[in-house]
């Protein structure tokens, strides 16, 4: 009989990552969960999956409260840590949406308990009583928190579902324009009100403020071919959607793209090296359904 921790490890990582937006912190939380699980008389655990989710949620909540204070002092825009995921993650539409960079950015606007409740209820569809046990609240309170968090996210999340084929076509056209420094092709691929955000953490060169509008964004990106003529721009699956990884002058950049109506609506650029270590290998995500 396999160890329930091993069987549910991908689920535990996904829960922790969606709560924290950091692969490194999620891994730490999963390891802490394993240490606590190893101390338990497992024969007395009626539902190992629920028990493990409760442990990982409590550990993630403790970590999230610390991270929330730390992020208040973060230099520049804070974006979630991008994950290199297998293409088949996109086939689970609900999972892909929940771990998308755009959704994780929205989840950052929730408080720690609201975020935990939203993730456990809306993504993993856990019963309210299990969530209550995990977050230390009553079932009635959890229902209220879930409603409040759901409304909050609904008002801020991307509203347009994009076909996987459309996303791929738009992204590949955009990347070709970046490689060639083709200003007109870039303008054609960007929505008029496109926004570009860059996470540099104060340790990497990047724009310091959000850039709005297709013309300034296109002009910035058109400089890539001149700035890094030997740079490599390749499409990769990031957080369940097709994005890009750029290797230029020994530095790596991750780019997540939000597509709407056949054009790119938002560009999230992660330059902080501390957040790019997970781009070396694919990470398995699971809802353990």
């Amino acid at each position: 009989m396999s160890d329930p921790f091993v069987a549910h490890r991908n689920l535990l990582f996904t829960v922790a990552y969606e709560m924290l937006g950091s692969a490194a912190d999620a891994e730490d939380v999963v390891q802490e969960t394993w240490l606590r699980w190893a101390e338990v008389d497992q024969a007395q655990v009626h539902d190992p999956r629920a028990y493990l989710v409760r442990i990982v949620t409590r550990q993630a909540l403790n970590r999230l409260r610390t991270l929330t204070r730390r992020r208040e002092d973060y230099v520049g825009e804070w974006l979630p840590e991008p994950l290199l995921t297998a293409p088949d993650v996109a086939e689970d539409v609900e999972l892909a949406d929940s771990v998308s960079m755009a959704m994780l950015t929205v989840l950052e606007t929730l408080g720690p308990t609201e975020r935990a409740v939203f993730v456990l209820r809306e993504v993993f569809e856990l019963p309210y009583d299990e969530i209550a046990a995990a977050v230390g609240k009553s079932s009635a309170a959890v229902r209220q928190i879930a409603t409040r968090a759901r409304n909050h996210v609904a008002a801020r999340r991307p509203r347009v579902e994009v076909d996987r084929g459309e996303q791929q076509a738009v992204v590949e056209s955009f990347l070709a324009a970046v490689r060639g420094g083709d200003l007109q092709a870039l303008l054609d691929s960007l929505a008029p009100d496109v926004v570009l955000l860059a996470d540099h953490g104060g340790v990497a060169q990047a724009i310091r403020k959000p850039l709005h509008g297709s013309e300034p964004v296109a002009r910035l990106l058109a400089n890539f071919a001149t700035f890094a003529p030997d740079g490599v721009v390749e499409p990769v699956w990031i957080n369940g959607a097709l994005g890009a990884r750029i290797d230029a002058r020994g530095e790596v950049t991750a780019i997540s793209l939000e597509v709407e109506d056949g054009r790119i609506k938002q560009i999230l650029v992660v330059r902080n090296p501390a957040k790019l270590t997970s781009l070396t290998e694919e990470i398995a995500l699971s809802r353990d359904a």
Side-chain angles (χ1 to χ4, degrees):
M1 184 176 179
S2 64
D3 185 341
F5 176 85
V6 175
H8 299 301
R9 192 186 191 288
N10 288 349
L11 165 70
L12 301 177
F13 175 84
T14 308
V15 170
Y17 175 69
E18 291 200 28
M19 286 183 59
L20 300 170
S22 164
D25 286 300
E27 282 290 357
D28 288 346
V29 165
V30 170
Q31 289 304 310
E32 290 167 4
T33 300
W34 180 81
L35 291 173
R36 282 160 176 73
W37 174 247
E39 297 173 352
V40 172
D41 182 357
Q42 298 171 21
Q44 301 301 313
V45 179
H46 174 67
D47 186 344
R49 180 181 185 272
Y51 191 91
L52 286 164
V53 169
R54 184 161 69 247
I55 296 175
V56 82
T57 299
R58 288 175 177 173
Q59 296 304 312
L61 270 173
N62 291 339
R63 182 67 62 96
L64 184 56
R65 292 182 179 113
T66 300
L67 292 177
T68 299
R69 292 190 293 271
R70 191 184 305 165
R71 287 171 189 170
E72 292 175 356
D73 299 323
Y74 193 79
V75 179
E77 297 286 336
W78 189 96
L79 293 175
E81 182 179 337
L83 294 181
L84 188 65
T85 54
D88 60 6
V89 171
E91 295 174 5
D92 186 334
V93 177
E94 291 183 3
L95 175 62
D97 176 65
S98 70
V99 298
S100 70
M101 292 287 282
M103 174 58 80
L104 291 173
T105 301
V106 172
L107 293 182
E108 282 295 314
T109 63
L110 293 172
T113 301
E114 287 180 321
R115 184 166 183 170
V117 169
F118 180 87
V119 167
L120 296 177
R121 181 62 185 173
E122 298 302 314
V123 180
F124 299 99
E125 300 178 342
L126 265 61
Y128 286 111
D129 58 344
E130 286 188 23
I131 300 173
V135 301
K137 302 282 185 181
S138 68
S139 292
V142 165
R143 287 178 182 273
Q144 293 180 341
I145 293 170
T147 299
R148 186 166 63 246
R150 188 183 308 117
N151 292 338
H152 179 94
V153 171
R156 292 163 176 80
R157 72 189 305 173
R159 292 177 169 79
V160 180
E161 292 187 9
V162 180
D163 176 77
R164 180 174 172 178
E166 178 187 358
Q167 172 93 8
Q168 186 162 351
V170 172
V171 170
E172 289 180 347
S173 176
F174 167 77
L175 295 182
V178 172
R179 293 188 196 100
D182 189 331
L183 180 60
Q184 187 56 54
L186 283 166
L187 288 169
D188 292 341
S189 69
L190 300 173
D193 57 348
V194 64
V195 179
L196 186 151
L197 301 174
D199 179 332
H200 53 80
V203 295
Q205 184 177 358
I207 61 169
R208 266 26 187 180
K209 296 181 180 179
L211 196 59
H212 297 265
S214 57
E215 186 166 337
V217 171
R219 292 191 181 281
L220 173 69
L221 297 174
N223 290 326
F224 173 77
T226 302
F227 174 74
D230 297 324
V232 177
V233 182
E234 60 177 340
V236 293
W237 290 89
I238 294 176
N239 291 67
L242 194 63
R245 176 173 56 194
I246 298 177
D247 295 302
R249 297 181 176 180
E251 298 181 351
V252 176
T253 300
I255 298 180
S256 179
L257 303 163
E258 180 187 329
V259 174
E260 182 178 306
D261 297 329
R263 292 189 171 187
I264 294 170
K265 179 82 169 179
Q266 180 174 256
I267 303 173
L268 301 179
V269 179
V270 178
R271 296 273 292 140
N272 185 347
K275 294 187 176 185
L276 298 170
T277 56
S278 61
L279 286 189
T280 58
E281 61 179 290
E282 292 180 357
I283 293 179
L285 301 174
S286 172
R287 289 194 299 164
D288 218 24

